[in-house]
Amino acid sequence: MTIRVPTPLRGFVGGRDQVTVPGATVREALAALTAGQDAFHDRLFTAEGDLRRFVNVYLGRDDVRRLGGLEAALPAGATLTLMVALAGG
C-alpha cells in the first residue's frame, strides 16, 4: 500500500512524497511508516495511540475517521494520503 506524505513530514521519510508500506489496516500501515522513528510517531499519534486532531488521513476521498478510524481495512493497492493542519499568522 502507498502512503502519500505531505511536505512538512517528508524529512522523516528521506524527502520522498510517497512511501510503500505493508499493512491491512490504517493503524498497521501508519505503524510501518513510523517504525523506529519515535519523533515521527509522536507527530501523528497521541500518547493514547489515537490520531492527533490536526492529522487527517484519507483513503481515496474519504477521511478514515468516517471509515472506522485506525482499524479501517485497507483494500489491496490502496493509497492513503496524510494531511497535517498548519497554523501560523
Side-chain angles (χ1 to χ4, degrees):
M1 80 117 4
T2 301
I3 299 179
R4 292 185 180 140
V5 181
T7 302
L9 298 177
R10 289 182 187 164
F12 292 108
V13 293
R16 294 175 288 171
D17 63 349
Q18 36 182 30
V19 179
T20 301
V21 297
T25 66
V26 174
R27 182 180 304 278
E28 289 175 6
L30 293 178
L33 179 69
T34 61
Q37 298 185 72
D38 292 340
F40 191 13
H41 185 271
D42 293 345
R43 290 279 306 264
L44 300 183
F45 296 98
T46 66
E48 294 78 29
D50 298 318
L51 281 176
R52 294 192 176 277
R53 283 184 323 180
F54 61 85
V55 176
N56 295 303
V57 182
Y58 293 89
L59 177 57
R61 296 178 142 194
D62 298 313
D63 186 326
V64 298
R65 287 181 173 100
R66 297 179 184 197
L67 300 174
L70 293 171
E71 304 315 319
L74 298 173
T79 297
L80 288 177
T81 302
L82 287 178
M83 297 185 81
V84 290
L86 299 176

